[in-house]
Amino acid sequence: MLRTRRGLFDVLAGRSSTAGAAAMFAARGHEAYVAELQAQGRTAGPPLPPGVNEIRISSNENPLGPGQKVLDSIVRKFPEAGRYPFNSSPADSQLLAAIAAHHQVKPENVVLGAGSQEILKSAVRAFTSPDRALVTALPTFENPTSTAKGLGHPVKEVPLDSAFRLDVDGMIAAAPGAGLVFFNNPNNPTATVHGAKTVTDFVQRVRKEAPDVAILIDEAYHEYVTDPSYQTAVPLALETPNVLVARTFSKAYGMAGMRIGYAIARSETIKQLARYKMPYNISVFGVAAALAALGDPAHIEAEQKRNTEVLRFTQKVLEDLDFKCTASQGNFLFVDLKRPAQDFRDACAKHGVMVGRDFPPFEKTHSRISIGTMQEMKKAAEVFRTVLKPPTTSGR
Amino acid sequence: MALTRRNFVQTVGLGTAGALTASFIGSRGRENFIWSALEPTLHAVDPGMIVISSNENPMGPGAKVIAAIQSAFGADGGRPGRYSGGARDLIDALAKKHGVKPENIVLGCGSTQILRSVTHVFTAKDKPLVATIPTYEECADYATLMGNQVVGVPLDSEFKPDLDRLADASQGAGLVFYCNPSNPSSTFAGARATRDFIAKLNSQSPGTTILVDEAYFHYVTDPDHETFIPMAVQNPRVIVARTFSKAYGMAGLRIGYAVGHAETIKQLASWDAGSGTSSLNVLAMAGAIAAVEQDDAFITTERARNAAVREFSMKWFNDRGMKPTDSQANFMFVNIGRPVREFRDACRKKNVVVARDFPPFEKTHCRIAFGTMDEMQKAVKVFGEVLGKSAAAAA
């Protein structure tokens, strides 16, 4: 696979060696990490010593990226880089139709987003107001929270339950009078999931207590879930007004850099969301890549298996060190390291291992660790063992 | 963009134009937004067509940009799987190019996102949007969505913006959308006239912001021509929008940006910077950096190429008594003396795709983008066949 890809890009680039690209990739990877830190108002440590490769397990990405079919599809779009997505072949309308077919719904049940983040933003813009709050969890994916706060709309953050799951009862209690409930399932950063029955009950109770409130169920990590009690809420969204499901190509599909997500709901609910859609929000590369990805389900199955295996390995490493993880159903672990996340993060960064940022209110105890490749996680495990080892009390 | 937009523009057109009330647009504009979600289904173009409907650069972005995109995949093709932190690199490259500071720039998913953000931040219930009729509709669409008033000012008899009327209509407005060269009319207001207009507006209505959309900037050949970026970084009431979708040949990659005073940019960024960054794909940003850093010859060559095709295409119509407006862009607005829809449908049957209706001129004027010279030579043959004997005879 690697060889094939290299061959492909060598041919395209008219070069016989990938050394330059490899160096550039490594360099840009670190820059990206630094930029990420800066965006959070922090600075990165000194550059890595020579010979130490960065392992980026901070952003819940698929470390392998997209499959070969996706890469090929993007390259084939180079001649159409100058065309608007609606003028390209395939056009963005074909992606919309393919996503609809994938879920056995109609195109009017789907709206595309530049990543599911655009979907989340649009939902906050469409359904909250100065009088109608966003109900969300703490901690959870914070895009809706920051969007609502930026608009000056009230936010009710409901703490998680004792198992680090979304507090269903607490969120229902907060719903009356609100505009939107954000329900991240599995929940980022805690990786916990609620089963189908709980989600259905939750939706029905919110509908009963607060029929005007929209519910956005973010299933970004859907493809990684192995818990048999879990099911997608897409059918629920199709039969229930004001319920939306968000999905993304950024996680298991390995296309975070391509910015493609979507929402599924009843057509009248989709229309409300679509008012805020940016026109032509998916690039011609994104359109082709997502279409190719939908046509390659085997790649997703393999990715789920791969992730589960590496997740179990990593969890065991941490548990053997006596640290407890939440019940992960994502491509990341939320682990009680009994120390500030910043200390752990900084210590790992010195070894080239980049783990997740602070997640208040658990920043003094818990860290989020994304699942890289097995090779990466074996190396990361050595670093974890080193930095997590109990302080020696004996003198030299 | 859309049948939806066509519907919307029909409402904006009003035949007589003039001021539009929010309620008027509201009643029909809604359909527009509802349809917007579904608009792509109405618009796919078959391969093999000559597509001169969307003011794209038919040559694409050039070898250096494509090479940069190839490199951006990473050695093992894994890079598209990673979130991008590369926005700052692109902002730095643009800042260097324009001689401004990074805090003077915010990125968007095409300039479309910039237009939306500016409209969001600078219009309100009591702060209308002012724009010419017709113009590019993004700002009007969004203001309408927000329930904010849109005031339309007709073009003058040469299809240029009527700057005195525009200034008068802008008293107390929140935002003036000033697309120069103008879309769809392709006409251009000179640098001196624009400077005077802005000075007048700043003095008459100091609370009004002016968004100068320079999407077609690189195609202008009129010597009375300059960018308003230097003014924008000094003047908090002026913002310049730019895009990679036109001369840079990257419409498919969805990158645009705004340049302005640091405080203005901060206001825009606080509304939508998150998505300004997170909307942009990693391959596109790598391409955009290469586009900015490449030799100016790329743009110079593209401007000259377009100017030659423009001269050829405008002459063809002029020779047949069909007058185009004075184009300073990569498209023209030409009086074909018949409903555009009939012309468009007939051309499409012959594999040539021209633009949608632009009310209030949909009964007479067609917007035609400039493809390659080869494409236009083929296209005018089709135009000749479609427009009938008289047109063909002069050939």
Side-chain angles (χ1 to χ4, degrees):
Chain A
M1 170 91 106
L2 285 182
R3 191 169 289 261
T4 313
R5 287 186 183 180
R6 283 182 186 161
L8 172 69
F9 292 110
D10 286 349
V11 171
L12 282 165
R15 64 181 177 234
S16 55
S17 153
T18 54
M24 180 174 167
F25 177 47
R28 290 194 56 81
H30 187 68
E31 278 171 32
Y33 180 73
V34 171
E36 193 179 287
L37 289 177
Q38 284 169 344
Q40 296 153 24
R42 293 201 302 273
T43 50
L48 296 177
V52 178
N53 290 322
E54 180 189 285
I55 295 175
R56 178 166 147 178
I57 45 177
S58 53
S59 306
N60 301 351
E61 297 154 333
N62 173 344
L64 297 175
Q68 186 67 42
K69 287 177 185 170
V70 169
L71 295 175
D72 290 346
S73 76
I74 298 171
V75 171
R76 278 198 296 270
K77 291 292 273 191
F78 284 0
E80 289 192 301
R83 296 293 178 188
Y84 283 96
F86 52 79
N87 278 343
S88 71
S89 300
D92 43 7
S93 57
Q94 283 158 280
L95 175 58
L96 190 74
I99 290 170
H102 180 73
H103 290 285
Q104 298 176 305
V105 302
K106 294 179 179 160
E108 59 259 38
N109 298 118
V110 182
V111 66
L112 299 174
S116 55
Q117 293 201 38
E118 188 192 347
I119 300 296
L120 272 45
K121 263 177 202 267
S122 294
V124 171
R125 290 169 178 175
F127 299 112
T128 71
S129 73
D131 308 321
R132 304 194 65 180
L134 168 72
V135 173
T136 186
L138 186 70
T140 190
F141 187 54
E142 52 295 87
N143 174 298
T145 307
S146 58
T147 303
K149 286 182 176 168
L151 289 168
H153 298 176
V155 179
K156 294 187 200 173
E157 295 175 294
V158 180
L160 302 180
D161 70 13
S162 58
F164 292 85
R165 295 176 306 185
L166 298 177
D167 178 359
V168 171
D169 291 333
M171 293 177 87
I172 292 167
L180 175 69
V181 180
F182 177 66
F183 195 90
N184 190 198
N185 194 41
N187 184 50
N188 177 14
T190 58
T192 53
V193 73
H194 278 299
K197 189 176 178 311
T198 305
V199 175
T200 305
D201 289 349
F202 168 74
V203 166
Q204 284 169 354
R205 284 171 62 197
V206 172
R207 291 287 302 157
K208 196 172 161 209
E209 304 279 329
D212 295 339
V213 177
I215 304 168
L216 174 60
I217 301 170
D218 181 356
E219 296 183 343
Y221 299 95
H222 166 84
E223 292 83 3
Y224 285 123
V225 179
T226 53
D227 181 338
S229 78
Y230 167 88
Q231 275 170 31
T232 178
V234 165
L236 191 61
L238 291 169
E239 67 193 29
T240 320
N242 276 347
V243 176
L244 306 103
V245 171
R247 289 285 188 90
T248 181
F249 285 89
S250 298
K251 302 302 177 184
Y253 283 96
M255 291 157 56
M258 302 304 294
R259 316 309 305 130
I260 310 150
Y262 57 94
I264 298 185
R266 294 171 67 85
S267 62
E268 68 270 19
T269 308
I270 283 292
K271 279 176 188 167
Q272 285 180 272
L273 190 73
R275 297 166 74 216
Y276 291 88
K277 170 184 172 285
M278 291 188 295
Y280 346 122
N281 50 3
I282 314 291
S283 73
V284 293
F285 295 161
V287 167
L291 275 168
L294 288 174
D296 189 12
H299 186 74
I300 297 300
E301 275 175 46
E303 168 58 13
Q304 193 217 53
K305 283 195 189 114
R306 186 203 65 77
N307 178 71
T308 302
E309 185 192 348
V310 185
L311 182 91
R312 282 185 186 140
F313 164 81
T314 311
Q315 184 162 351
K316 184 163 188 312
V317 167
L318 293 164
E319 284 171 355
D320 286 350
L321 293 167
D322 236 3
F323 300 111
K324 194 168 181 300
C325 299
T326 58
S328 175
Q329 290 290 316
N331 64 342
F332 54 97
L333 289 162
F334 198 57
V335 53
D336 184 357
L337 295 175
K338 305 169 197 167
R339 73 197 68 203
Q342 182 168 354
D343 293 353
F344 176 64
R345 185 169 55 240
D346 291 350
C348 289
K350 284 181 188 149
H351 298 272
V353 175
M354 309 301 179
V355 300
R357 58 191 168 78
D358 283 0
F359 290 96
F362 299 113
E363 78 279 13
K364 298 292 180 217
T365 49
H366 286 66
S367 285
R368 192 189 72 182
I369 300 170
S370 305
I371 301 303
T373 63
M374 184 63 95
Q375 194 188 7
E376 285 175 328
M377 297 318 284
K378 282 181 175 165
K379 284 185 188 164
E382 285 170 34
V383 172
F384 296 161
R385 287 188 195 102
T386 306
V387 307
L388 291 172
K389 105 185 132 202
T392 45
T393 47
S394 59
R396 54 173 83 196
Chain B
M1 173 130 51
L3 281 179
T4 104
R5 294 214 165 216
R6 291 168 205 171
N7 297 339
F8 176 67
V9 180
Q10 278 159 12
T11 64
V12 174
L14 287 183
T16 56
L20 306 165
T21 64
S23 62
F24 182 83
I25 300 183
S27 64
R28 305 209 24 210
R30 293 277 173 243
E31 274 175 30
N32 175 40
F33 299 113
I34 287 164
W35 277 104
S36 283
L38 314 174
E39 81 184 40
T41 55
L42 306 169
H43 220 23
V45 174
D46 298 328
M49 294 260 186
I50 294 178
V51 178
I52 45 178
S53 52
S54 304
N55 304 349
E56 299 154 335
N57 173 350
M59 309 298 289
K64 284 179 183 157
V65 169
I66 292 295
I69 291 169
Q70 286 165 207
S71 297
F73 279 85
D76 63 357
R79 188 69 184 91
R82 301 289 185 180
Y83 288 98
S84 177
R88 182 56 196 246
D89 295 345
L90 176 54
I91 287 174
D92 286 347
L94 287 167
K96 192 173 164 209
K97 173 91 178 170
H98 292 302
V100 303
K101 292 182 178 150
E103 56 264 37
N104 295 121
I105 295 175
V106 64
L107 302 177
C109 182
S111 54
T112 307
Q113 187 182 7
I114 299 298
L115 268 48
R116 291 196 146 211
S117 296
V118 171
T119 306
H120 181 89
V121 170
F122 294 102
T123 68
K125 300 279 185 240
D126 57 347
K127 297 254 173 216
L129 169 77
V130 179
T132 58
I133 293 177
T135 190
Y136 185 61
E137 306 87 345
E138 196 55 51
C139 293
D141 281 0
Y142 191 79
T144 305
L145 173 68
M146 301 306 293
N148 299 340
Q149 196 187 348
V150 179
V151 178
V153 177
L155 300 174
D156 71 13
S157 59
E158 294 188 318
F159 290 83
K160 293 186 176 180
D162 186 336
L163 296 183
D164 288 334
R165 281 187 72 177
L166 200 58
D168 290 344
S170 303
Q171 287 286 349
L175 179 69
V176 178
F177 178 60
Y178 189 84
C179 184
N180 194 34
S182 175
N183 181 13
S185 65
S186 77
T187 56
F188 166 74
R192 204 174 319 134
T194 300
R195 262 199 311 273
D196 291 349
F197 167 73
I198 292 173
K200 186 177 175 186
L201 201 54
N202 283 164
S203 126
Q204 282 183 0
S205 185
T208 302
T209 297
I210 303 135
L211 174 58
V212 183
D213 184 350
E214 296 185 342
Y216 299 98
F217 174 83
H218 298 108
Y219 285 119
V220 178
T221 50
D222 187 315
D224 179 21
H225 175 228
E226 67 187 32
T227 176
F228 282 78
I229 285 175
M231 183 186 281
V233 297
Q234 300 295 331
N235 183 341
R237 288 296 174 213
V238 178
I239 301 165
V240 170
R242 286 288 189 95
T243 181
F244 285 92
S245 298
K246 303 303 177 183
Y248 281 109
M250 296 162 62
L253 304 191
R254 315 310 305 128
I255 303 191
Y257 57 101
V259 190
H261 191 277
E263 287 303 311
T264 314
I265 293 299
K266 199 189 271 181
Q267 267 181 289
L268 293 176
S270 69
W271 158 242
D272 216 9
S275 95
T277 304
S278 66
S279 307
L280 303 187
N281 80 66
V282 60
L283 302 178
M285 282 196 281
I289 290 169
V292 171
E293 291 179 344
Q294 74 190 334
D295 195 282
D296 287 344
F298 178 82
I299 292 293
T300 314
T301 305
E302 167 59 12
R303 176 162 48 236
R305 185 203 64 78
N306 179 70
V309 181
R310 180 166 71 197
E311 191 184 345
F312 166 81
S313 307
M314 288 174 68
K315 184 171 184 305
W316 190 91
F317 280 95
N318 263 321
D319 287 351
R320 286 152 185 81
M322 291 175 278
K323 195 171 179 288
T325 55
D326 181 12
S327 173
Q328 288 291 314
N330 66 339
F331 60 94
M332 63 183 166
F333 202 49
V334 54
N335 187 347
I336 55 171
R338 71 198 72 200
V340 172
R341 186 186 187 127
E342 293 168 18
F343 175 67
R344 182 173 54 239
D345 290 350
C347 289
R348 184 154 185 151
K349 281 184 190 146
K350 295 170 182 286
N351 294 337
V352 174
V353 185
V354 300
R356 59 192 166 87
D357 283 359
F358 289 96
F361 300 110
E362 79 280 12
K363 300 293 182 212
T364 50
H365 283 68
C366 184
R367 193 189 73 181
I368 300 172
F370 304 127
T372 63
M373 186 64 93
D374 181 56
E375 284 177 323
M376 296 316 284
Q377 283 167 347
K378 288 177 181 153
V380 296
K381 281 187 191 137
V382 168
F383 298 157
E385 292 164 18
V386 166
L387 292 169
K389 258 185 202 160
S390 56

